[in-house]
Amino acid sequence: MRIGLYPGTFDPVTLGHIDIIRRATALVDRLVIGVAINRDKGPLFPVDERVAMIEAEVSGIAADTGTEIVVHPFENLLVDCAHDVGATIILRGLRAVADFEYEYQMVGMNRHLDENIETVFLMADAQHQAIASKLVKEIARLGGDVRPFVSKAVRDALVARFSGV
Ligand code: ADP
């Protein structure tokens, strides 16, 4: 049984993340989506809302692909989270060169902590590559149209959040 861990903040989950999740299901038998609780990032959505949003998005993918998908909040070290869920592969998405430096360092550090865990990088489809949660939040905050970047449910959650509903 091959278990992969796809960690992130997912604040909120975007079509870029969903693209990576769909690709990751082709590589593992069980995909655990690790939702980092805060990591001093001051997330817009509390962790239980981020988890619920991801669960709603991925149920169709699990049904389509037959891959078990589990959403797992975590606050400890990434390699410890991987141990907790039995994952031997960490999956990350790569957008542009800008992501590379940070990811490169993270792989190096994680390898020191556990050399048996392999990190695999995936790239989203071209139309999803530029999507970043941070910019989606900024656009939503300023009243822009986020439909090209997130699902309807996530868009509604963003609109509600910024209109104070
Ligand atoms: P983090 O805070 O760890 O960067 P994110 O939620 O922003 O968490 O992203 C989680 C993972 O998904 C990261 O590996 C990130 O590079 C990847 N990712 C986010 N958006 C995209 C995208 N549009 N295309 C490909 N990978 C992406």
Side-chain angles (χ1 to χ4, degrees):
M1 172 97 153
R2 198 178 279 274
I3 303 176
L5 172 64
Y6 176 38
T9 312
F10 304 103
D11 185 42
V13 62
T14 68
L15 299 183
H17 296 127
I18 297 300
D19 187 312
I20 298 298
I21 290 169
R22 197 172 270 284
R23 285 167 204 282
T25 59
L27 305 177
V28 296
D29 304 302
R30 178 189 295 161
L31 179 64
V32 180
I33 303 175
V35 183
I37 291 182
N38 54 43
R39 278 197 285 151
D40 55 85
K41 282 197 175 177
L44 177 67
F45 293 101
V47 68
D48 46 328
E49 274 184 60
R50 284 181 276 143
V51 167
M53 282 192 265
I54 300 169
E55 279 173 347
E57 302 293 318
V58 300
S59 62
I61 301 176
D64 281 358
T65 61
T67 303
E68 189 188 347
I69 305 180
V70 181
V71 186
H72 176 86
F74 74 103
E75 203 165 23
N76 51 350
L77 267 180
L78 184 55
V79 292
D80 289 336
C81 174
H83 296 154
D84 291 345
V85 301
T88 50
I89 303 176
I90 292 173
L91 295 137
R92 294 283 289 174
L94 264 191
R95 281 163 292 197
V97 226
D99 282 342
F100 183 79
E101 188 78 32
Y102 173 70
E103 297 292 342
Y104 175 82
Q105 285 185 329
M106 205 161 81
V107 172
M109 304 286 274
N110 285 335
R111 197 165 275 171
H112 278 290
L113 299 173
D114 184 340
E115 61 179 353
N116 296 314
I117 295 181
E118 220 41 81
T119 303
V120 174
F121 292 98
L122 298 170
M123 282 178 71
D125 190 71
Q127 62 169 332
H128 295 142
Q129 266 177 36
I131 304 174
S133 297
K134 186 167 178 249
L135 297 178
V136 168
K137 283 182 281 191
E138 193 63 9
I139 293 167
R141 190 175 68 80
L142 297 170
D145 182 6
V146 293
R147 271 177 298 185
F149 315 124
V150 294
S151 71
K152 182 176 181 314
V154 172
R155 173 179 170 266
D156 290 349
L158 282 163
V159 169
R161 184 53 57 108
F162 287 116
S163 63
V165 174

